[in-house]
């Protein structure tokens, strides 16, 4: 029996992309079939048919066209970019072909998890400004063990900051001298000022009632900016979380221009680009257990990312990558996987 899967995606626009592809395949390609297959820690959406293959040039043209969602800027290529994935054709057998679209995160549907206890956000107690005032050159030469890191994650109403989605939770922890600093935790709900789709609540468990009295992003953003001041930001799939924050910089009155490390790219540096680099795949590889009730919560995923980051640091050092600049040089060799967020 095929397992029921819960996918982390923007359902409306993903369905629009699939419908667009079905239309472009046309009536000449028969026996179309859509499958969602379990694929390691993620899933594979496979659109299969019998008939002529699809040329790469034609597929690229289809992906550049606007989808039928009422916004000209929403193309298939943009949907893939936001989901940090790609689409490619494969030849099967007996005249059958398929388009493959992998998703990084999926999980089997089980009983509803218990809510995660949310600690009261604490004020920053220490000034860990270890980046100094020497500019980019000094940062590049700074040993990793001399830097302060703030590992963070967000939960949102959906996956499209350009389409009106908003943050509903931000969490972060601080790492200094190779250790998480006890008590230095940032965790707060955020009132998004818009409805939270039921599909999103099913993933992260945050309801509209829970955020009704929470502060707005302008206040939370300023507090988080203060918490992260003087630190290197660390996230898993950083382009996603930072896009939400950077689109609010004018409202917040602060710029999120911290140096950035992405554990997706660090995983590629340590384990090779061909391996799976979802958070579930990475933590499993590193022997880290994420409690079911903590998965897909901002704090739970932040703690898991922080633990993964701390275990990646010795592996980087063993490869001779001991400074921020050395790591950044290696990270940029894997831009195909994920956009580097440093200037």
């Amino acid at each position: 029996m095929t397992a029921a899967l819960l996918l982390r995606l923007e359902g409306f626009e993903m369905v629009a992309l699939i419908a667009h592809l079905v239309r472009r395949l046309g009536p000449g390609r028969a026996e179309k079939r859509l499958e969602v297959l379990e694929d390691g820690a993620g899933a594979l959406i496979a659109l299969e048919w019998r008939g002529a293959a699809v040329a790469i040039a034609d597929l690229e043209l289809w992906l550049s066209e606007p989808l039928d969602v009422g916004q000209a800027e929403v193309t298939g290529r943009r949907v893939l970019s936001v989901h940090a994935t790609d689409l490619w054709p494969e030849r099967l057998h007996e005249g059958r072909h398929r388009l493959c679209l992998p998703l990084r995160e999926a999980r089997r549907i089980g009983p509803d998890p218990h809510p995660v206890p949310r600690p009261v956000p604490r004020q920053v107690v220490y000034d860990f400004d270890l980046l100094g005032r020497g500019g980019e050159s000094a940062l590049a030469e700074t040993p990793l063990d001399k830097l302060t890191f703030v590992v963070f994650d967000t939960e949102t109403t959906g996956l499209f900051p350009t389409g009106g989605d908003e943050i509903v939770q931000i969490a972060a922890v601080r790492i200094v001298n190779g250790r998480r600093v006890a008590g230095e935790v940032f965790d707060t709900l955020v009132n998004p000022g818009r409805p939270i789709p039921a599909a999103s609540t099913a993933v992260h468990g945050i309801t509209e009632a829970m955020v009704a009295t929470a502060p707005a992003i302008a206040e939370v953003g300023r507090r988080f900016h203060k918490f992260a001041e003087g630190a290197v930001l660390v996230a898993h799939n950083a382009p996603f979380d930072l896009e939400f924050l950077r689109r609010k910089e004018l409202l917040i009155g602060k710029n999120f221009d911290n140096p950035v490390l992405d554990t997706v790219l660090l995983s590629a540096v340590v384990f090779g680009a061909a391996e799976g680099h979802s958070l579930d795949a990475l933590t499993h590889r590193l022997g880290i257990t994420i409690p079911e009730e903590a998965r897909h919560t901002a704090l739970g995923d932040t703690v898991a990312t922080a633990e993964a980051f701390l275990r990646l640091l010795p592996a980087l050092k063993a490869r001779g990558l001991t400074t921020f600049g050395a790591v950044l040089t290696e990270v940029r060799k894997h831009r195909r996987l994920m956009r580097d967020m440093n200037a």
Side-chain angles (χ1 to χ4, degrees), residues 154-159 165-169 196 200 204 240 244:
T154 65
E155 297 298 334
T156 62
T157 61
L159 299 177
D165 282 317
E166 303 285 352
I167 292 172
V168 296
Q169 185 186 23
I196 302 176
S200 298
H204 51 53
F240 176 81
F244 278 92

Side-chain angles (χ1 to χ4, degrees), residues 34 60 78 118 126 157 161 181 196 220 231 242 244 247 306 314 326:
L34 182 69
E60 287 299 325
R78 200 197 80 162
R118 305 183 185 277
Y126 308 103
T157 61
V181 182
I196 302 176
V220 173
L242 281 173
F244 278 92
R247 291 184 67 83

Side-chain angles (χ1 to χ4, degrees), residues 20 62 153 204 297 305:
H20 178 73
W62 299 350
D153 183 58
H204 51 53
T297 68
T305 301

Side-chain angles (χ1 to χ4, degrees), residues 86-342:
D86 208 343
L87 180 74
W88 62 84
E90 284 187 356
R91 184 184 300 274
L92 298 177
H93 52 80
E94 298 178 351
R96 296 197 68 83
H97 302 266
R98 69 179 182 178
L99 295 175
C100 298
L101 195 166
L103 294 172
R104 292 178 178 275
E105 297 187 34
R107 62 181 174 91
R108 296 190 181 202
I109 296 177
D112 291 337
H114 298 294
V116 180
R118 305 183 185 277
V120 177
R122 296 187 57 172
Q123 184 180 3
V124 179
V125 178
Y126 308 103
D127 180 13
F128 291 124
D129 188 8
L130 300 184
L131 292 186
R133 302 289 186 261
E136 293 181 7
S137 176
L139 172 61
E141 297 170 2
T142 303
L144 293 177
D145 57 11
K146 298 298 183 182
L147 291 171
T148 299
F149 300 96
V150 166
V151 187
F152 80 105
D153 183 58
T154 65
E155 297 298 334
T156 62
T157 61
L159 299 177
F160 288 90
T162 58
D165 282 317
E166 303 285 352
I167 292 172
V168 296
Q169 185 186 23
I170 302 178
V173 297
R174 193 187 308 281
I175 291 175
V176 178
N177 296 328
R179 293 184 178 182
R180 264 203 294 142
V181 182
E184 286 293 310
V185 177
F186 185 99
D187 181 31
T188 181
L189 295 172
V190 183
N191 189 326
R194 56 152 290 175
I196 302 176
S200 298
T201 296
V203 174
H204 51 53
I206 299 172
T207 66
E208 292 179 22
M210 292 169 62
V211 300
T213 59
I217 189 60
E219 176 186 338
V220 173
R222 284 189 286 270
R223 286 166 45 200
F224 176 67
H225 187 276
K226 179 63 177 176
F227 185 87
E229 189 174 9
V232 176
L233 290 176
V234 179
H236 195 82
N237 190 4
F240 176 81
D241 301 286
L242 281 173
E243 178 70 13
F244 278 92
L245 288 170
R246 287 178 175 174
R247 291 184 67 83
K248 296 296 182 181
E249 286 179 337
L250 188 61
L251 180 65
I252 293 169
K254 300 288 185 180
N255 293 325
F256 291 93
D257 51 7
N258 306 56
V260 180
L261 289 178
D262 192 318
T263 47
V264 173
L265 294 173
L266 296 179
S267 176
V269 170
V270 172
F271 299 111
E275 296 293 333
H277 302 295
S278 70
L279 184 57
D280 286 316
L282 178 58
T283 52
H284 177 74
R285 190 179 300 123
L286 294 172
I288 299 166
T289 300
I290 309 177
E292 179 65 22
E293 65 271 18
R295 187 66 176 100
H296 295 303
T297 68
L299 185 57
D301 286 358
T302 290
V303 171
T305 301
E307 290 300 316
F309 178 67
L310 288 171
R311 298 189 190 192
L312 287 169
L313 287 177
L316 294 170
K317 185 176 182 180
R319 287 163 173 77
L321 306 175
T322 59
T323 66
F324 184 85
V327 170
L328 196 58
T329 297
E330 290 301 308
V331 157
R332 286 174 170 165
K333 295 178 181 179
H334 297 279
R335 283 173 168 168
R336 182 181 61 83
L337 290 176
M338 189 73 62
R339 179 162 54 103
D340 170 37
M341 298 303 290
N342 294 281

